[in-house]
Amino acid sequence: MAPPPKGPPARKLLCMCSLSLCLTYACYSLMGGPGALPSSPLAPQGSPLSPSASDTPPPRNGSPAWLRTPSPPSVSEPSRAWTETDPPSASSPSSAPDRDLGVGGDSSSSSSASVAAAAGSEAAAAAATATPDYGEKRLPQALIIGVKKGGTRALLEALRAHPDVRAVGTEPHFFDRNYDKGLDWYRDVMPKTLEGQLTMEKTPSYFVTNEAPKRIHSMAKDTKLIVVVRNPVTRAISDYTQTLSKKPEIPTFEVLAFKNRTLGLIDASWSAIRIGIYALHLESWLQYFPLSQIHFVSGERLITDPAGEMAKVQDFLGLKRVVSEKYFYFNKTKGFPCLKKPEDSSAPRCLGKSKGRTHPKIDRDVIQRLRKFYKPFNVMFYQMTGQDFQWEQEEGDK
């Protein structure tokens, strides 16, 4: 009887098994693509045996959705970021949303949702529920400091149409009423900005606040200041008209404007009159800031030629001239320009009912006396600023 055949040597058998396993691993890898095999269950995360995100090659176009890593929303477009509305803080004034301008839109939510749909993973779906929070809050680099009833709101709204400007909608009144709350509170009031964007705010009462120049200089001595000025007579009447709308019981303009009407003595202590003595207030600012850091906007030209005034303001702030004539439409009913989205055919956005009120009829003799009172101060202001606003040449009275 023949003996049974001998089996293969142990070493040969081991080589055959190893070769078979190698071929199986190679075929499985080719079928699944790079990264198809999960990391070893025996290798703890972070160990040399577990692949890191930086070591994993990017998947090919044909790989399954669950293998793809969702891309974060791009932050390179400031036109998207500046339209985001920061939630109002409980301890600070809320800012009006930039989207009220009708320029641009908040696409962050739809962008996140589309990313989640493409990724198809639970992680991406969770990320879609969170609103991107880009930028940081900074102290303002530029301020609109005055003057009341000069056109500061119109200027602010036009500047907020610029993609490189973020501004507080409400007036913080930090340097006149809330200074004791500190710079941290003031910074928290500001909207978030990206690198290269300008943070701004406007509070017209700063111009007539004695402490404001020193306080602003202490914050940042290179702060750029904008003052919107208007014919002081017309400004005083507009100021009175606003107060009258809130307090109908107040005396007439003529009564408040004079200490003694018979003698023609103007009451310069009345705020409506005192604000218009621009030269007096400017002296305080020039003690802390050079004239080159203060830009004066004509309230009259802001109505008749808004694009021209905006070009000068944008140059002063170091901004590209984005807000041009195509951003404005003159509203004949209100008597001033309205802001619109240049590429949109929708109705322009006009300032609210509090703007463009009809002025009460003022005795012509009173107006002439006010013009005479303001003339030397106006001439002094022209000399200080190097600009002639030609208020003495106006004929029409409002």
Side-chain angles (χ1 to χ4, degrees):
M1 185 174 180
K6 294 181 180 181
R11 181 174 297 180
K12 185 176 181 180
L13 181 62
L14 181 61
C15 290
M16 292 176 63
C17 290
S18 298
L19 180 61
S20 177
L21 286 173
C22 290
L23 289 174
T24 303
Y25 182 91
C27 292
Y28 191 69
S29 298
L30 290 174
M31 292 174 62
L37 290 178
S39 59
S40 172
L42 298 178
Q45 292 297 320
S47 70
L49 294 178
S50 63
S52 64
S54 59
D55 296 330
T56 306
R60 294 197 296 262
N61 294 335
S63 58
W66 65 271
L67 287 175
R68 304 185 192 124
T69 303
S71 302
S74 172
V75 298
S76 61
E77 301 181 34
S79 60
R80 290 185 180 182
W82 76 273
T83 56
E84 293 172 9
T85 305
D86 298 318
S89 172
S91 61
S92 62
S94 60
S95 61
D98 288 347
R99 65 170 65 93
D100 285 350
L101 291 169
V103 181
D106 189 354
S107 59
S108 58
S109 298
S110 60
S111 174
S112 298
S114 62
V115 169
S121 65
E122 293 183 4
T129 61
T131 303
D133 195 14
Y134 303 133
E136 61 180 287
K137 294 189 176 186
R138 299 177 175 89
L139 292 172
Q141 299 93 40
L143 302 171
I144 300 175
I145 60 173
V147 297
K148 180 183 179 184
K149 306 308 295 179
T152 58
R153 171 57 60 181
L155 176 62
L156 180 72
E157 292 302 313
L159 280 171
R160 293 173 79 196
H162 198 293
D164 291 336
V165 173
R166 292 298 309 274
V168 183
T170 54
E171 297 173 3
H173 284 280
F174 176 66
F175 295 104
D176 56 353
R177 302 178 190 172
N178 298 306
Y179 194 66
D180 59 332
K181 295 183 178 179
L183 286 174
D184 288 339
W185 177 90
Y186 188 44
R187 183 185 290 107
D188 190 56
V189 171
M190 296 299 123
K192 291 186 177 180
T193 56
L194 298 175
E195 190 67 31
Q197 287 184 317
L198 190 70
T199 304
M200 292 189 66
E201 70 111 325
K202 78 107 177 170
T203 303
S205 55
Y206 290 163
F207 189 63
V208 298
T209 301
N210 292 331
E211 301 83 6
K214 182 178 180 181
R215 290 172 174 177
I216 295 173
H217 186 269
S218 297
M219 177 189 71
K221 61 182 180 180
D222 59 347
T223 303
K224 293 187 176 182
L225 309 172
I226 300 177
V227 187
V228 187
V229 290
R230 183 182 183 187
N231 184 318
V233 178
T234 309
R235 197 222 66 81
I237 298 173
S238 180
D239 197 337
Y240 171 79
T241 304
Q242 182 183 54
T243 305
L244 183 65
S245 68
K246 299 175 182 177
K247 301 177 180 179
E249 72 281 1
I250 64 172
T252 63
F253 181 87
E254 290 83 353
V255 170
L256 294 171
F258 290 94
K259 284 185 177 181
N260 188 317
R261 186 171 179 180
T262 304
L263 298 177
L265 297 177
I266 302 296
D267 188 358
S269 65
W270 183 32
S271 63
I273 299 294
R274 188 172 180 81
I275 290 174
I277 310 176
Y278 303 137
L280 176 66
H281 307 300
L282 182 57
E283 284 183 350
S284 301
W285 291 91
L286 292 179
Q287 292 179 20
Y288 292 91
F289 295 93
L291 193 62
S292 59
Q293 276 180 236
I294 309 175
H295 181 72
F296 299 92
V297 176
S298 167
E300 287 80 16
R301 288 196 294 269
L302 195 58
I303 294 175
T304 59
D305 182 21
E309 284 300 291
M310 285 304 301
K312 299 175 186 176
V313 172
Q314 290 171 99
D315 290 347
F316 171 71
L317 295 175
L319 299 170
K320 183 179 179 181
R321 289 189 180 183
V322 173
V323 183
S324 59
E325 61 276 355
K326 61 184 179 181
Y327 275 73
F328 300 97
Y329 169 82
F330 190 81
N331 187 304
K332 295 181 179 179
T333 303
K334 283 185 169 290
F336 53 75
C338 296
L339 194 64
K340 66 177 182 178
K341 188 177 179 181
E343 67 273 14
D344 197 351
S345 59
S346 60
R349 177 180 180 268
C350 292
L351 297 178
K353 295 180 180 180
S354 63
K355 308 298 179 181
R357 296 187 184 97
T358 301
H359 290 180
K361 184 68 177 179
I362 306 298
D363 191 322
R364 184 167 183 81
D365 177 65
V366 174
I367 293 178
Q368 292 297 337
R369 287 181 180 272
L370 282 174
R371 284 181 172 173
K372 185 177 181 180
F373 168 79
Y374 278 121
K375 185 173 182 179
F377 296 109
N378 291 345
V379 172
M380 188 183 304
F381 184 66
Y382 299 163
Q383 293 173 346
M384 294 171 73
T385 61
Q387 300 181 48
D388 185 354
F389 292 90
Q390 303 181 346
W391 291 322
E392 286 70 30
Q393 299 180 22
E394 290 189 352
E395 296 296 333
D397 298 326
K398 295 184 179 180

